[in-house]
């Protein structure tokens, strides 16, 4: 059994010219990519008004998922770190605009211009430190922060991921929430070993009815209801609330800072070499309302 691609080499090295052409020419991979992309667009829940939207395909590769977007009548921009993958996309004359870049360094897009974003099997690569300068938490922060900024208010991002374990899933989700997104994880076919797929469904903006997490699919292909789910790992829908949590209450003495606090601060300033007025019986004494 071959190991996960992200554990073998960085994406720009793993997907060289040979691997990029092998990946694109595989009918099995093409079918899987099409199925995942169609499901991502379904979860994106774009308005059915016939108006083309501008979508972002993160980790677009050779444009397999972009072709699904084109067939849906929308325009798209593709971002990938592999030069070889993008060359194959150019050879295939995909309809979208292609960008060479590292999503871990942030998305260089204008704020609020993207109507929706999808990503197929790409975001989990950010959890690996491929270089000495890579810090997964900082890369996740840069990615989700820039994604939040470039999305229009109320737009969705659907990121299909293959987390290595539960901790990695929670790491990815936590940084999405910190960036301002509302949403959670949708799990399709949770009881199947082969068909199980996880989608991070995020909404840009404050919580509302539109931020409700969709239901995952079960074996018969129909969506299950929220009340049919139970447990943690077995849930079809793992709902995570928005980031607008109540701030921690600061413990403040009703009487103010107090004399001991002022004396301690003045002593710290003296140790730093600053000129501080001498301590007297009037130090930290509250002034009267009028002189």
């Amino acid at each position: 059994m071959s190991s996960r691609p992200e554990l073998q080499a960085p994406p720009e090295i793993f997907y060289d010219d040979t691997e990029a052409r092998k990946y694109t020419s595989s009918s099995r991979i093409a079918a899987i990519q099409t199925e995942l992309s169609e499901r991502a667009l379904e979860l994106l829940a774009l308005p059915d008004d016939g108006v083309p939207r501008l979508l972002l395909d993160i980790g677009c590769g050779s444009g397999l998922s972009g072709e699904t977007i084109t067939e849906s009548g929308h325009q798209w921009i593709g971002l990938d770190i592999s030069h070889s993958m993008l060359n194959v996309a150019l050879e295939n004359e995909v309809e979208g605009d292609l960008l060479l870049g590292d999503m871990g360094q942030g998305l260089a897009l204008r704020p609020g211009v993207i109507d929706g974003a999808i990503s197929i099997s790409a975001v989990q690569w950010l959890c690996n430190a491929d270089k000495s300068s890579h810090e997964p938490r900082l890369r996740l922060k840069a990615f989700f922060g820039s994604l939040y900024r470039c999305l229009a208010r109320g737009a969705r991002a659907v990121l299909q991921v293959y987390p290595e374990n539960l901790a990695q899933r929670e790491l990815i989700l936590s940084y999405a929430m910190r960036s301002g997104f509302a949403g959670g994880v949708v799990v399709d076919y949770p009881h199947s070993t082969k068909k199980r797929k996880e989608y991070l469904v995020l909404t840009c903006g404050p919580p509302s009815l539109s931020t409700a997490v969709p239901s995952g699919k079960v074996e018969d292909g129909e969506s299950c209801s929220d009340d049919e789910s139970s447990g943690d790992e077995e849930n079809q829908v793992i709902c995570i609330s928005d980031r607008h949590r109540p701030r921690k209450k600061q413990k403040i003495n009703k009487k103010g800072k107090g004399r001991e606090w002022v004396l301690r601060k003045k002593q710290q300033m003296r140790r730093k070499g600053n000129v501080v007025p001498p301590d007297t019986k009037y130090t930290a004494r509250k002034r009267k309302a009028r002189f």
Side-chain angles (χ1 to χ4, degrees):
M1 181 178 178
S2 61
S3 60
R4 299 164 64 96
E6 58 266 27
L7 300 181
Q8 297 184 34
E12 64 272 24
I13 297 177
F14 180 83
Y15 290 108
D16 54 11
D17 292 340
T18 303
E19 190 66 29
R21 297 184 186 281
K22 177 182 175 182
Y23 184 93
T24 308
S25 60
S26 172
S27 58
R28 184 183 67 87
I29 291 179
I32 294 174
Q33 283 281 339
T34 300
E35 180 183 353
L36 295 177
S37 302
E38 289 175 350
R39 177 59 171 154
L41 288 175
E42 178 186 346
L43 294 173
L44 211 54
L46 296 170
D48 189 13
D49 53 8
V51 178
R53 260 65 183 189
L54 178 61
L55 305 182
L56 177 63
D57 185 4
I58 304 163
C60 64
S62 57
L64 294 177
S65 52
E67 291 178 357
T68 304
I69 298 176
T70 300
E71 292 174 358
S72 301
H74 301 292
Q75 300 174 346
W76 58 280
I77 299 173
L79 172 74
D80 203 276
I81 195 174
S82 171
H83 198 279
S84 299
M85 278 289 202
L86 294 179
N87 283 338
V88 175
L90 289 174
E91 292 176 5
N92 294 338
E93 298 181 350
V94 297
E95 296 292 333
D97 296 323
L98 304 176
L99 299 175
L100 177 66
D102 180 6
M103 60 179 172
Q105 295 181 355
L107 309 175
L109 296 171
R110 292 175 58 186
V113 298
I114 302 298
D115 299 314
I118 68 170
S119 177
I120 308 299
S121 312
V123 176
Q124 71 270 6
W125 288 82
L126 293 176
C127 296
N128 298 319
D130 296 320
K131 300 178 181 178
S132 59
S133 60
H134 283 183
E135 168 54 50
R137 288 173 173 80
L138 295 179
R139 289 170 62 77
L140 286 168
K141 180 181 178 181
F143 167 66
F144 282 113
S146 59
L147 177 60
Y148 186 89
R149 289 189 294 272
C150 74
L151 286 173
R153 210 66 164 152
R156 270 187 179 180
V158 178
L159 315 174
Q160 187 271 324
V161 295
Y162 288 112
E164 187 175 3
N165 47 47
L166 183 60
Q168 194 173 94
R169 177 214 282 169
E170 292 177 350
L171 177 66
I172 295 172
L173 190 58
S174 65
Y175 275 89
M177 297 297 108
R178 293 180 187 182
S179 299
F181 286 105
V185 179
V186 173
V187 183
D188 285 351
Y189 311 110
H191 304 292
S192 174
T193 304
K194 293 183 178 180
K195 297 179 66 176
R196 177 188 173 100
K197 295 293 185 293
E198 298 187 15
Y199 299 85
L200 192 60
V201 182
L202 307 172
T203 304
C204 178
S208 64
L209 292 177
S210 63
T211 63
V213 180
S215 298
K217 290 183 178 181
V218 291
E219 288 299 330
D220 57 3
E222 297 179 355
S223 294
C224 64
S225 59
D226 292 346
D227 54 4
E228 293 176 353
S229 328
S230 61
D232 294 329
E233 267 298 298
E234 301 302 323
N235 272 3
Q236 286 84 2
V237 180
I238 303 169
C239 295
I240 304 294
S241 61
D242 63 290
R243 69 186 289 267
H244 302 282
R245 309 179 184 89
R247 295 181 179 178
K248 293 182 179 179
K249 294 182 180 179
Q250 296 179 351
K251 295 181 180 179
I252 301 177
N253 190 352
K254 293 182 178 179
K255 297 181 179 180
K257 300 294 185 179
R259 178 179 173 85
E260 292 182 1
W261 183 89
V262 174
L263 292 175
R264 187 167 63 253
K265 286 295 180 181
K266 291 177 71 174
Q267 188 62 29
Q268 291 177 0
M269 297 293 286
R270 291 190 184 97
R271 286 198 294 267
K272 293 180 180 179
N274 297 328
V275 178
V276 181
D279 300 334
T280 66
K281 64 178 182 179
Y282 301 106
T283 299
R285 180 180 293 186
K286 185 178 181 180
R287 289 185 177 183
K288 295 181 179 181
R290 56 186 179 85
F291 293 102

mmCIF file of all heavy atoms in Angstrom, residues 115-133:
data_model
loop_
_atom_site.group_PDB
_atom_site.id
_atom_site.type_symbol
_atom_site.label_atom_id
_atom_site.label_comp_id
_atom_site.label_asym_id
_atom_site.label_seq_id
_atom_site.Cartn_x
_atom_site.Cartn_y
_atom_site.Cartn_z
ATOM 1 N N ASP A 115 -16.848 34.734 -5.710
ATOM 2 C CA ASP A 115 -18.217 34.361 -5.332
ATOM 3 C C ASP A 115 -18.290 32.993 -4.663
ATOM 4 O O ASP A 115 -19.348 32.617 -4.144
ATOM 5 C CB ASP A 115 -19.119 34.363 -6.568
ATOM 6 C CG ASP A 115 -19.187 35.744 -7.213
ATOM 7 O OD1 ASP A 115 -19.362 36.725 -6.471
ATOM 8 O OD2 ASP A 115 -19.069 35.833 -8.461
ATOM 9 N N GLY A 116 -17.226 32.242 -4.689
ATOM 10 C CA GLY A 116 -17.209 30.924 -4.069
ATOM 11 C C GLY A 116 -15.875 30.255 -4.342
ATOM 12 O O GLY A 116 -15.184 30.593 -5.309
ATOM 13 N N ALA A 117 -15.509 29.313 -3.496
ATOM 14 C CA ALA A 117 -14.227 28.625 -3.659
ATOM 15 C C ALA A 117 -14.397 27.141 -3.383
ATOM 16 O O ALA A 117 -15.173 26.752 -2.499
ATOM 17 C CB ALA A 117 -13.175 29.212 -2.714
ATOM 18 N N ILE A 118 -13.684 26.337 -4.159
ATOM 19 C CA ILE A 118 -13.641 24.903 -3.910
ATOM 20 C C ILE A 118 -12.179 24.454 -3.893
ATOM 21 O O ILE A 118 -11.306 25.136 -4.444
ATOM 22 C CB ILE A 118 -14.425 24.086 -4.964
ATOM 23 C CG1 ILE A 118 -13.732 24.149 -6.334
ATOM 24 C CG2 ILE A 118 -15.869 24.534 -5.048
ATOM 25 C CD1 ILE A 118 -14.311 23.174 -7.350
ATOM 26 N N SER A 119 -11.948 23.337 -3.257
ATOM 27 C CA SER A 119 -10.612 22.756 -3.235
ATOM 28 C C SER A 119 -10.770 21.253 -3.088
ATOM 29 O O SER A 119 -11.522 20.786 -2.220
ATOM 30 C CB SER A 119 -9.782 23.320 -2.081
ATOM 31 O OG SER A 119 -8.512 22.710 -2.030
ATOM 32 N N ILE A 120 -10.096 20.508 -3.939
ATOM 33 C CA ILE A 120 -10.184 19.055 -3.916
ATOM 34 C C ILE A 120 -8.820 18.473 -3.528
ATOM 35 O O ILE A 120 -7.839 18.631 -4.250
ATOM 36 C CB ILE A 120 -10.631 18.499 -5.290
ATOM 37 C CG1 ILE A 120 -11.919 19.186 -5.765
ATOM 38 C CG2 ILE A 120 -10.814 16.989 -5.216
ATOM 39 C CD1 ILE A 120 -13.106 18.996 -4.846
ATOM 40 N N SER A 121 -8.779 17.874 -2.377
ATOM 41 C CA SER A 121 -7.591 17.118 -1.918
ATOM 42 C C SER A 121 -6.323 17.961 -1.884
ATOM 43 O O SER A 121 -5.265 17.518 -2.327
ATOM 44 C CB SER A 121 -7.358 15.893 -2.824
ATOM 45 O OG SER A 121 -8.554 15.183 -3.018
ATOM 46 N N ALA A 122 -6.425 19.173 -1.356
ATOM 47 C CA ALA A 122 -5.248 20.049 -1.366
ATOM 48 C C ALA A 122 -4.894 20.625 0.000
ATOM 49 O O ALA A 122 -3.714 20.727 0.338
ATOM 50 C CB ALA A 122 -5.470 21.190 -2.359
ATOM 51 N N VAL A 123 -5.885 21.003 0.794
ATOM 52 C CA VAL A 123 -5.616 21.776 2.007
ATOM 53 C C VAL A 123 -4.804 20.988 3.025
ATOM 54 O O VAL A 123 -4.028 21.569 3.789
ATOM 55 C CB VAL A 123 -6.951 22.256 2.626
ATOM 56 C CG1 VAL A 123 -6.719 22.984 3.944
ATOM 57 C CG2 VAL A 123 -7.672 23.182 1.648
ATOM 58 N N GLN A 124 -4.921 19.652 3.051
ATOM 59 C CA GLN A 124 -4.166 18.865 4.041
ATOM 60 C C GLN A 124 -2.659 18.956 3.828
ATOM 61 O O GLN A 124 -1.886 18.670 4.731
ATOM 62 C CB GLN A 124 -4.612 17.404 4.032
ATOM 63 C CG GLN A 124 -4.191 16.606 2.812
ATOM 64 C CD GLN A 124 -5.224 16.668 1.694
ATOM 65 O OE1 GLN A 124 -6.207 17.395 1.800
ATOM 66 N NE2 GLN A 124 -5.003 15.915 0.635
ATOM 67 N N TRP A 125 -2.231 19.386 2.631
ATOM 68 C CA TRP A 125 -0.791 19.561 2.388
ATOM 69 C C TRP A 125 -0.205 20.647 3.290
ATOM 70 O O TRP A 125 1.002 20.635 3.578
ATOM 71 C CB TRP A 125 -0.542 19.929 0.923
ATOM 72 C CG TRP A 125 -0.756 18.807 -0.055
ATOM 73 C CD1 TRP A 125 -1.945 18.389 -0.581
ATOM 74 C CD2 TRP A 125 0.242 17.968 -0.644
ATOM 75 N NE1 TRP A 125 -1.746 17.342 -1.452
ATOM 76 C CE2 TRP A 125 -0.411 17.061 -1.516
ATOM 77 C CE3 TRP A 125 1.634 17.890 -0.525
ATOM 78 C CZ2 TRP A 125 0.263 16.092 -2.259
ATOM 79 C CZ3 TRP A 125 2.312 16.928 -1.269
ATOM 80 C CH2 TRP A 125 1.637 16.045 -2.120
ATOM 81 N N LEU A 126 -1.032 21.586 3.729
ATOM 82 C CA LEU A 126 -0.540 22.675 4.572
ATOM 83 C C LEU A 126 -0.111 22.194 5.956
ATOM 84 O O LEU A 126 0.599 22.913 6.667
ATOM 85 C CB LEU A 126 -1.626 23.751 4.729
ATOM 86 C CG LEU A 126 -2.004 24.536 3.472
ATOM 87 C CD1 LEU A 126 -3.155 25.475 3.764
ATOM 88 C CD2 LEU A 126 -0.801 25.322 2.950
ATOM 89 N N CYS A 127 -0.530 20.998 6.336
ATOM 90 C CA CYS A 127 -0.198 20.477 7.661
ATOM 91 C C CYS A 127 1.203 19.880 7.724
ATOM 92 O O CYS A 127 1.634 19.432 8.792
ATOM 93 C CB CYS A 127 -1.231 19.426 8.077
ATOM 94 S SG CYS A 127 -2.897 20.091 8.266
ATOM 95 N N ASN A 128 1.905 19.867 6.596
ATOM 96 C CA ASN A 128 3.258 19.304 6.557
ATOM 97 C C ASN A 128 4.295 20.416 6.441
ATOM 98 O O ASN A 128 4.102 21.375 5.684
ATOM 99 C CB ASN A 128 3.401 18.345 5.371
ATOM 100 C CG ASN A 128 2.462 17.161 5.477
ATOM 101 O OD1 ASN A 128 2.287 16.609 6.556
ATOM 102 N ND2 ASN A 128 1.847 16.789 4.373
ATOM 103 N N ALA A 129 5.384 20.273 7.174
ATOM 104 C CA ALA A 129 6.483 21.228 7.094
ATOM 105 C C ALA A 129 7.502 20.693 6.094
ATOM 106 O O ALA A 129 8.392 19.909 6.433
ATOM 107 C CB ALA A 129 7.123 21.435 8.464
ATOM 108 N N ASP A 130 7.365 21.108 4.832
ATOM 109 C CA ASP A 130 8.247 20.612 3.782
ATOM 110 C C ASP A 130 9.592 21.334 3.759
ATOM 111 O O ASP A 130 10.547 20.850 3.163
ATOM 112 C CB ASP A 130 7.563 20.764 2.418
ATOM 113 C CG ASP A 130 6.307 19.912 2.322
ATOM 114 O OD1 ASP A 130 6.331 18.772 2.814
ATOM 115 O OD2 ASP A 130 5.305 20.391 1.773
ATOM 116 N N LYS A 131 9.667 22.489 4.386
ATOM 117 C CA LYS A 131 10.907 23.257 4.454
ATOM 118 C C LYS A 131 11.139 23.692 5.895
ATOM 119 O O LYS A 131 10.219 23.693 6.718
ATOM 120 C CB LYS A 131 10.834 24.483 3.538
ATOM 121 C CG LYS A 131 10.602 24.159 2.070
ATOM 122 C CD LYS A 131 10.491 25.435 1.255
ATOM 123 C CE LYS A 131 10.227 25.132 -0.216
ATOM 124 N NZ LYS A 131 10.076 26.357 -1.020
ATOM 125 N N SER A 132 12.366 24.074 6.190
ATOM 126 C CA SER A 132 12.676 24.516 7.549
ATOM 127 C C SER A 132 11.918 25.790 7.907
ATOM 128 O O SER A 132 11.666 26.057 9.083
ATOM 129 C CB SER A 132 14.183 24.743 7.690
ATOM 130 O OG SER A 132 14.630 25.731 6.754
ATOM 131 N N SER A 133 11.533 26.556 6.895
ATOM 132 C CA SER A 133 10.806 27.807 7.141
ATOM 133 C C SER A 133 9.304 27.595 7.262
ATOM 134 O O SER A 133 8.572 28.532 7.558
ATOM 135 C CB SER A 133 11.081 28.798 6.001
ATOM 136 O OG SER A 133 10.659 28.253 4.747
#
